[in-house]
């Protein structure tokens, strides 16, 4: 049987063409081959002691690319003492980081369809939560991922189904676009997600040991990416099953120095995760608050005309400084108000979860047409008019 | 009564061109793999048994219609699909081998106690970087006229030179 598998020759040109030059080179390097020169216009020479010389294409646009990939797979299989299909599967993921969520101990690798849907939706929620926390760690994320974050989500793929166990695999591309020492954003995101999952596991374990400290354990984990959203997505995945395993594997194309072991969550974790999520939500935000104040500082961000401001505002509890991230249109209004020393009305959800107060989903709704207060006091005096619409 | 030949004239020409190339490769000390030409226009691969280099991918043609030499070249009408596949960028160098056969089929080969004779000869040509402007005339949608230098005789010595060029990537 083993001999028959090793004799397989993959001839499907379309399947072979799917494997990227970066994946082929990365696999070879992981086994000890090193680039030693150039061959013709579109291939590199790789050599290793006691191994056959390789010619690895640098582009896919070669008339014989499938045949070259087929030969490389044969050599790889022989050197690795493996079979071509196994090597093909490894190469298909060689330029992608993989997040694998598995339901263990399932006979024939099958689960109820409804549970499978929950697993997929929950896994996607976990990824989205981590991405939003990476952008700004917070106990609760109210907003949808912003467009620049969506780019990373759009590039993630669902891996092929596997035999023998029920598992879903999310694949994230890991291809160096510029300098090799700069990690691509997708790798940074996957590493962040791995750390967030470990922080969640750790906070849950500590809460089991010391139930009275749960609030603190989870609060401390916010800066590592734990949020109400992450907890809720985990609950959604866990509810149909007794347990799930989560594992990370890293693309060959980029060196990784982190070692992340697999994690397991069980049904018994659900009450702790639910309680943590509820507390985060209860304590985090006051929705739809409005503040009148002077723009104290403006800072344009690098992209898209967006910017951050600091608003010095007065409310019933006295003066407070609020941070807000504004979309281009609102940021322009805030800059004008700052330059003309006019007060503005800022509306949004007050986030109390971080060290500094900030307004989430903030919008500038009005500016006051009034003389600037002589000593930065008396905000709100004067008639309120709409200057911008 | 003579039985009909089991293969077409095209098949017989092709098999003779394979036999010619294999004989030359054997004399020069190389291995030959017969490939499925329907896939990408390559009929044979000549190599040394190593996975990658040196190696040549061969597109074979056999004809009784080579034109008389003019200015050191003979002209041949190559199917345009083969022409394009020989011009495309590849990792393994590709060459065209054209076997020039006598017009009378009974003279294509002969065997006696002293010799095996396969008539007449084959030429090789690399179409890498071939400029379509060099083509005198495109006879129709399906074939392209190309000039083959008479000096490109395909024999053991020229094959060894071609394999040396394949090793360095200079072909």
């Amino acid at each position: 049987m083993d001999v028959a598998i090793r004799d397989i020759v993959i001839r499907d040109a379309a399947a072979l063409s799917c494997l990227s030059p970066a994946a082929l080179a990365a696999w070879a390097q992981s086994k000890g081959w090193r680039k030693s020169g150039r061959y013709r216009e579109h291939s590199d020479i790789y050599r290793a002691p006691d191994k056959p010389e390789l010619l690895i294409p640098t582009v896919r646009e070669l008339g014989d690319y499938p045949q070259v990939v087929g030969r490389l797979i044969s050599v790889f299989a022989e050197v690795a003492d493996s079979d071509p299909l196994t090597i093909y599967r490894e190469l298909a993921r060689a330029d992608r980081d993989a997040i694998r969520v598995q339901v263990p101990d399932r006979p024939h690798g099958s689960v109820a369809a409804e549970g499978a849907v929950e697993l997929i939706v929950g896994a996607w929620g976990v990824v989205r939560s981590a991405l939003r926390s990476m952008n700004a760690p917070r106990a609760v994320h109210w907003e949808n991922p912003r467009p620049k974050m969506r780019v990373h989500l759009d590039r993630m793929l669902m891996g092929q189904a596997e035999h023998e166990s029920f598992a879903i695999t999310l694949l994230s591309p890991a291809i160096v676009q510029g300098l090799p020492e700069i990690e691509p954003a997708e790798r940074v995101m996957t590493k962040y997600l791995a750390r967030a999952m470990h922080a969640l596991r750790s906070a849950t374990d500590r809460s089991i040991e010391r139930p009275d400290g749960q609030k603190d354990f989870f609060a401390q984990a916010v800066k590592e990416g734990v949020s109400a959203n992450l907890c809720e997505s985990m609950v959604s995945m866990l509810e149909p099953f007794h347990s799930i395993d989560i594992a990370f594997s890293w693309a060959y194309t980029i060196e990784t120095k982190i070692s992340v072991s697999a994690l397991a969550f069980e049904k018994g974790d659900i009450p702790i995760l639910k309680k943590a999520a509820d507390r985060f939500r209860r304590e985090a935000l006051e929705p739809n608050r409005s503040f009148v104040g002077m723009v104290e500082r403006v800072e344009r961000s690098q992209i898209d005309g967006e910017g951050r401001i600091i608003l010095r505002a007065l409310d019933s509890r006295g003066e407070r400084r609020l941070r807000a991230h504004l979309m281009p249109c609102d940021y322009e209004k805030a800059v004008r108000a700052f330059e003309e020393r006019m007060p503005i009305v800022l509306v949004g959800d007050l986030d109390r979860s971080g060290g500094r107060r900030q307004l989430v989903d903030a919008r500038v709704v009005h500016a006051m047409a009034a003389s600037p207060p002589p000593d930065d006091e008396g905000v709100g005096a004067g008639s309120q008019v709409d200057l911008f619409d | 009564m003579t039985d009909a030949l089991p293969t077409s004239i095209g098949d017989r020409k092709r098999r003779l061109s394979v036999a010619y190339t294999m004989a030359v490769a054997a004399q020069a000390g190389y291995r030959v793999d017969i490939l499925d030409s329907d896939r990408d226009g390559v009929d044979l691969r000549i190599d040394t048994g190593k996975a990658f280099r040196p190696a040549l991918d061969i597109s074979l043609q056999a004809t009784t219609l080579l034109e008389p030499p003019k200015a050191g070249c003979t002209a041949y009408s190559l199917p345009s699909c083969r022409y394009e596949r020989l011009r495309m960028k590849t990792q393994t160098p590709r060459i065209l081998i054209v076997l020039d056969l006598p017009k009378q089929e009974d003279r294509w080969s002969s065997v006696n106690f002293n010799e095996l004779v396969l008539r007449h000869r084959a030429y090789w040509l690399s179409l890498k970087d071939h400029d379509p402007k060099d083509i005198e005339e495109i006879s129709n949608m399906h074939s392209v006229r190309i000039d083959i230098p008479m000096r490109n005789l395909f024999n053991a010595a020229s094959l060894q030179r071609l394999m040396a060029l394949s090793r360095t990537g200079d072909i």
Side-chain angles (χ1 to χ4, degrees):
Chain A
M1 183 66 180
D2 199 31
V3 172
I5 289 171
R6 279 159 201 263
D7 282 348
I8 284 173
V9 177
I10 303 170
R11 292 190 187 279
D12 184 339
L16 293 166
S17 297
C18 286
L19 301 179
S20 71
L24 296 164
W27 200 98
Q29 284 171 338
S30 75
K31 303 297 177 192
W33 274 280
R34 292 292 173 263
K35 191 165 125 179
S36 69
R38 192 88 173 149
Y39 182 74
R40 303 186 90 202
E41 294 144 77
H42 302 293
S43 299
D44 287 326
I45 302 165
Y46 281 76
R47 293 200 176 108
D50 304 323
K51 291 189 176 115
E53 180 188 82
L54 305 177
L55 298 180
I56 300 182
T58 53
V59 295
R60 284 181 214 247
E61 292 75 28
L62 293 176
D64 57 352
Y65 189 78
Q67 290 76 26
V68 173
V69 173
R71 276 196 289 280
L72 284 166
I73 288 176
S74 297
V75 174
F76 290 165
E78 196 175 327
V79 168
D81 195 21
S82 182
D83 64 90
L85 277 179
T86 302
I87 299 294
Y88 178 85
R89 285 194 203 101
E90 285 187 22
L91 287 167
R93 291 185 185 173
D95 56 358
R96 291 185 168 91
D97 294 330
I99 306 149
R100 190 165 182 269
V101 183
Q102 185 186 7
V103 182
D105 305 327
R106 287 278 144 176
H108 315 299
S110 301
V111 298
E114 198 170 350
V117 171
E118 291 295 328
L119 197 72
I120 292 171
V121 171
W124 193 233
V126 163
V127 172
R128 285 163 57 99
S129 304
L131 184 59
R132 288 183 285 181
S133 286
M134 187 174 80
N135 189 54
R138 295 230 307 270
V140 184
H141 299 288
W142 301 92
E143 78 285 14
N144 283 323
R146 292 170 41 207
K148 66 181 179 186
M149 293 189 237
R150 283 227 55 98
V151 173
H152 305 316
L153 293 177
D154 290 345
R155 295 189 66 192
M156 290 196 90
L157 298 173
M158 216 54 193
Q160 289 173 311
E162 298 176 20
H163 294 294
E164 305 300 329
S165 66
F166 186 81
I168 59 169
T169 309
L170 292 160
L171 302 171
S172 178
I175 298 169
V176 176
Q177 304 284 3
L179 297 170
E181 61 270 22
I182 298 175
E183 283 189 318
E186 287 82 2
R187 163 59 63 83
V188 174
M189 186 187 82
T190 312
K191 277 168 65 176
Y192 189 89
L193 172 61
R195 288 196 198 99
M197 295 308 295
H198 274 265
L200 184 66
R201 180 67 265 170
S202 172
T204 308
D205 287 340
R206 294 171 75 191
S207 301
I208 292 168
E209 287 169 19
R210 283 189 46 210
D212 58 323
Q214 180 178 351
K215 181 182 173 184
D216 291 338
F217 301 144
F218 275 83
Q220 286 159 14
V222 168
K223 62 180 182 297
E224 294 175 87
V226 172
S227 64
N229 312 63
L230 187 71
C231 295
E232 288 158 354
S233 294
M234 280 303 303
V235 169
S236 156
M237 279 199 287
L238 265 173
E239 273 181 331
F241 308 109
H242 289 296
S243 66
I244 56 170
D245 296 337
I246 299 173
F248 295 84
S249 62
W250 306 101
Y252 290 108
T253 39
I254 304 169
E255 190 181 357
T256 182
K257 289 176 181 155
I258 64 165
S259 165
V260 183
S261 53
L263 299 155
F265 285 84
E266 296 177 352
K267 222 177 183 76
D269 297 326
I270 289 177
I272 293 168
L273 294 169
K274 273 187 172 173
K275 195 172 168 186
D278 290 345
R279 180 177 281 129
F280 278 147
R281 287 199 180 274
R282 204 169 51 245
E283 296 179 353
L285 279 196
E286 291 176 37
N288 292 319
R289 291 288 309 272
S290 63
F291 293 88
V292 180
M294 299 296 291
V295 180
E296 191 173 79
R297 189 173 162 191
V298 292
E299 183 184 322
R300 188 177 291 277
S301 71
Q302 298 285 325
I303 45 174
D304 300 336
E306 298 174 7
R308 293 178 185 278
I309 67 165
I310 294 177
L311 184 77
R312 198 168 64 159
L314 286 172
D315 68 3
S316 57
R317 281 172 261 180
E319 184 181 281
R320 69 163 86 191
R321 282 180 170 76
L322 292 168
R323 290 171 179 273
H325 184 102
L326 299 176
M327 299 309 279
C329 177
D330 289 302
Y331 182 69
E332 286 301 316
K333 294 176 184 177
V335 169
R336 278 182 57 192
F338 174 71
E339 288 170 351
E340 296 173 20
R341 304 197 72 201
M342 292 186 300
I344 62 170
V345 179
L346 201 58
V347 175
D349 301 328
L350 181 64
D351 181 356
R352 303 180 305 181
S353 61
R356 288 181 170 174
R357 297 288 186 257
Q358 62 176 332
L359 270 187
V360 179
D361 289 336
R363 302 178 314 282
V364 177
V365 293
H366 286 98
M368 310 292 181
S371 303
D375 54 358
D376 286 353
E377 289 179 1
V379 170
S383 59
Q384 184 173 311
V385 294
D386 207 336
L387 292 179
F388 299 113
D389 296 329
Chain B
M1 181 175 170
T2 308
D3 287 339
L5 293 172
T7 54
S8 68
I9 191 164
D11 283 340
R12 293 198 292 282
K13 284 182 185 173
R14 182 177 182 277
R15 284 163 196 241
L16 284 173
S17 66
V18 170
Y20 181 106
T21 308
M22 292 184 87
V24 168
Q27 177 72 36
Y30 299 116
R31 234 177 51 123
V32 180
D33 277 341
I34 300 177
L35 308 175
D36 176 2
S37 62
D38 287 343
R39 282 201 303 165
D40 65 352
V42 174
D43 301 285
L44 303 176
R45 178 180 172 86
I46 300 177
D47 62 30
T48 59
K50 292 180 180 171
F52 292 95
R53 66 171 179 168
L56 291 169
D57 281 345
I58 310 292
S59 179
L60 287 174
Q61 296 286 292
T63 182
T64 58
L65 301 173
L66 270 191
E67 293 181 10
K70 203 182 288 179
C73 288
T74 182
Y76 176 66
S77 288
L78 179 66
S80 53
C81 58
R82 288 260 170 168
Y83 174 75
E84 291 303 331
R85 283 170 172 169
L86 283 160
R87 279 183 67 229
M88 63 174 51
K89 293 187 190 321
T90 56
Q91 183 187 84
T92 303
R94 287 184 173 180
I95 60 168
L96 169 70
I97 291 178
V98 180
L99 176 61
D100 178 17
L101 291 164
K103 291 215 171 6
Q104 302 94 325
E105 187 176 346
D106 58 1
R107 295 197 64 240
W108 287 356
S109 68
S110 60
V111 181
N112 61 36
F113 283 107
N114 293 320
E115 60 190 4
L116 158 66
V117 179
L118 185 57
R119 298 183 183 86
H120 294 293
R121 69 200 74 77
Y123 301 99
W124 67 269
L125 185 67
S126 169
L127 289 170
K128 182 194 166 212
D129 301 328
H130 190 265
D131 189 346
K133 286 179 193 160
D134 293 343
I135 301 168
E136 287 178 6
E137 164 194 347
I138 295 177
S139 55
N140 55 49
M141 293 286 286
H142 305 294
S143 63
V144 173
R145 262 171 68 100
I146 52 171
D147 287 333
I148 305 173
M150 303 292 288
R151 65 175 181 277
N152 285 9
L153 184 66
F154 185 70
N155 58 18
S158 64
L159 177 57
Q160 283 167 339
R161 281 197 299 276
L162 288 167
M163 291 295 271
L165 291 172
S166 168
R167 163 149 279 287
T168 55
D170 293 323
I171 181 174

